[in-house]
């Protein structure tokens, strides 16, 4: 009754505080209904609206922020910490934005408390895959700014079926040995930018799956983690939409398993990767600084003795320096049936143990300009 009265007298108000919808910042009470209530009010609003999450710890079991909405300027302003229940369930998503246009999320921390699920995965028990912390799906014109994502059960952020998504100044943190905790996964999306962010995880810092076009990644610190990857591609049952028009610029990798990686299954699934630029990248003790692996076949099932049908072309590597943690710093293991073409390398200087590292090149053609260490035989 009180709530109804409140709503009816504030229809003109354009800022909705979750406390007014019954949220408790006590770290114990599930505030899911309050988050949904505040979102629905903002979404119904005919004018720009804010949803505010004040300081404090809010326990949130699950939230779907769904559109379409009546306005295209909703800001979710987070000051506090949003925590997931410390046990896990079979949910695949935790905080999700779906069918929204013109939404911005600013600040705050989302702590998924993934430890219980990682413990399960690291034992031999059967465990659910886990939830992605922040998902943006089937949405356009979305900005995520200054958000901290901690200890996700699975991926920290997933951008799927969306366009014009800007991610900036995010800080993603999970232990280096936490399973499947990718930082940001992008697929079936276009016009995505990720800038000025620090990512430390147990899997890829950023990964791009099939159907990714026009991605700009700049000024990223990555490590620990598995690096920045295009792929795995070709792991599905049918031919795939390709990956094109990607720029990865000014990245520092420290102690990562890979630096910049393109990875495809050794399967007869067709697809492509084209027009990718990697530039101004620093490697600090990275296991595989530059790697193209078209022989991916974990557990050796479904793909032994097959070759990848993903065509990799027009890939440019420029100004890449630093140290490799292994002797082979540059590895092109391209498909014998779809050789890599149009690979260009310029100003590469990678060392192993303070000496020039080695390059391994299979089924690859291209050009080199300037100093290239290791020597690449393109
Ligand atoms: C909504 O948030 C913005 C800051 O992002 C602020 O400038 C604006 O005043 C807020 N609007 C209301 C009604 O609180
Ligand atoms: C939040 O609650 C959990 C138990 O649900 C407890 O383990 C944790 O210490 C609490 N954190 C704070 C900051 O109160
Ligand atoms: C995205 O924003 C631009 C500029 O405000 C607008 O023209 C466009 O219609 C929006 N796109 C969608 C799908 O809402
Ligand atoms: C992208 O979205 C932002 C809002 O997040 C908007 O200001 C901008 O105009 C959009 N750009 C395009 C090309 O739609
Ligand atoms: C990122 O978050 C982690 C964990 O919350 C924190 O220790 C670190 O200081 C943050 N880094 C930056 C650059 O904000
Ligand atoms: C690069 O990102 C860091 C945050 O990781 C930020 O402090 C710095 O200002 C950014 N540099 C530029 C040139 O934007
Ligand atoms: C790559 O970008 C170009 C130029 O904008 C565009 O014509 C092409 O369609 C894009 N490729 C894909 C696969 O989207
Ligand atoms: C390659 O991608 C860049 C953006 O990274 C774009 O400007 C350019 O038009 C693309 N070239 C082709 C041939 O698609
Ligand atoms: C190259 O990266 C370094 C950080 O490693 C940065 O300070 C510098 O501004 C970048 N240069 C260009 C041309 O982007
Ligand atoms: C590459 O390095 C050269 C020489 O250090 C520098 O002039 C150029 O600006 C760099 N380009 C990029 C894109 O970092
Ligand atoms: C793959 O090739 C190896 C060596 O040529 C052969 O021993 C093996 O039987 C082949 N496996 C399959 C599934 O064809
Ligand atoms: C590389 O180019 C040469 C000369 O154009 C050609 O003979 C060779 O087959 C090409 N190799 C691959 C792996 O494409």
């Amino acid at each position: 009754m009180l709530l109804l009265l409140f709503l009816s007298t504030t229809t003109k108000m354009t800022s909705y505080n979750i406390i007014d919808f019954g949220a408790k910042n006590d770290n114990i009470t599930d505030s899911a209904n309050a988050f949904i209530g505040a979102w629905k009010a903002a979404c119904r609003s005919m004018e720009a609206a804010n949803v505010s999450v004040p300081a404090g710890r809010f326990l949130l079991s699950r939230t779907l922020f769904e559109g379409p909405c009546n306005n295209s300027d909703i800001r979710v302003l987070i000051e506090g910490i949003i925590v997931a229940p410390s046990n896990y369930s079979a949910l695949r998503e935790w905080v999700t934005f779906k069918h929204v246009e013109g939404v911005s999320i600013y600040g705050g921390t989302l702590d998924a408390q993934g430890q219980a699920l990682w413990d399960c995965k690291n034992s031999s028990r059967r465990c659910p895959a886990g939830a992605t912390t922040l998902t943006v799906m089937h949405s356009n014109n979305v900005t995520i700014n200054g958000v901290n994502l901690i200890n996700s059960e699975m991926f920290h952020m997933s951008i799927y079926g969306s366009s014009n998504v800007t991610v900036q100044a995010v800080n993603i943190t999970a232990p280096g040995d936490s399973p499947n905790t990718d930082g940001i996964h992008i697929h079936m999306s276009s016009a995505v930018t990720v800038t000025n962010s620090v990512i430390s995880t147990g899997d890829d810092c950023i990964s791009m799956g099939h159907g990714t076009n026009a991605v700009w990644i700049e000024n990223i610190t990555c490590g620990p983690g598995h690096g920045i990857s295009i792929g795995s591609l070709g792991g599905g049952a049918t031919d795939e939409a390709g990956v094109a028009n990607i720029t990865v610029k000014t990245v520092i990798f420290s102690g990562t398993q890979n630096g910049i990686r393109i990875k495809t299954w050794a399967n007869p699934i067709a697809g492509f990767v084209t027009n990718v630029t990697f530039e101004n990248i620093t490697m600090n003790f990275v296991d595989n600084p530059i790697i193209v692996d078209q022989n991916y076949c974990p557990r050796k099932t479904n793909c032994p003795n097959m070759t990848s049908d993903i065509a990799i072309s027009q890939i440019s590597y420029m100004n890449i320096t630093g140290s490799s943690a292994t002797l082979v710093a540059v590895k092109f293991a391209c498909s014998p049936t779809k050789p890599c073409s149009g690979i260009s390398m310029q100003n590469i200087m990678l060392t192993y143990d303070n000496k020039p590292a080695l390059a391994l090149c299979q089924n690859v053609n291209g050009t080199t300009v300037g100093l290239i260490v290791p020597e690449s035989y393109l």
Side-chain angles (χ1 to χ4, degrees), residues 46-113:
M46 301 303 292
E47 54 191 277
N50 292 350
V51 170
S52 57
V53 178
R57 283 176 75 90
F58 295 91
L59 181 72
L60 178 63
S61 53
R62 183 188 188 211
T63 293
L64 175 60
F65 295 113
E66 197 168 13
C69 296
N70 288 334
N71 75 84
S72 58
D73 185 6
I74 298 179
R75 294 164 199 225
V76 179
L77 309 168
I78 309 171
E79 283 182 56
I81 303 172
I82 301 173
V83 291
S86 57
N87 59 352
Y88 56 86
S89 73
L91 295 177
R92 297 302 301 269
E93 286 146 14
W94 180 31
V95 175
T96 299
F97 290 83
K98 184 175 181 182
H99 297 306
V100 302
E101 315 277 352
V103 168
S104 327
I105 303 140
Y106 292 95
T109 297
L110 304 185
D111 181 353
Q113 308 208 81

Side-chain angles (χ1 to χ4, degrees), residues 249 279-280 318-319 347:
K249 184 177 174 179
E279 67 183 51
N280 193 35
M318 196 160 82
N319 289 13
N347 300 337

Side-chain angles (χ1 to χ4, degrees), residues 37 97 114 149 164 184 187 203 211 225 245 248 336 378:
F97 290 83
L149 304 175
N164 189 22
I184 303 173
H187 77 292
D203 210 303
N245 303 332
V248 177
L378 280 178

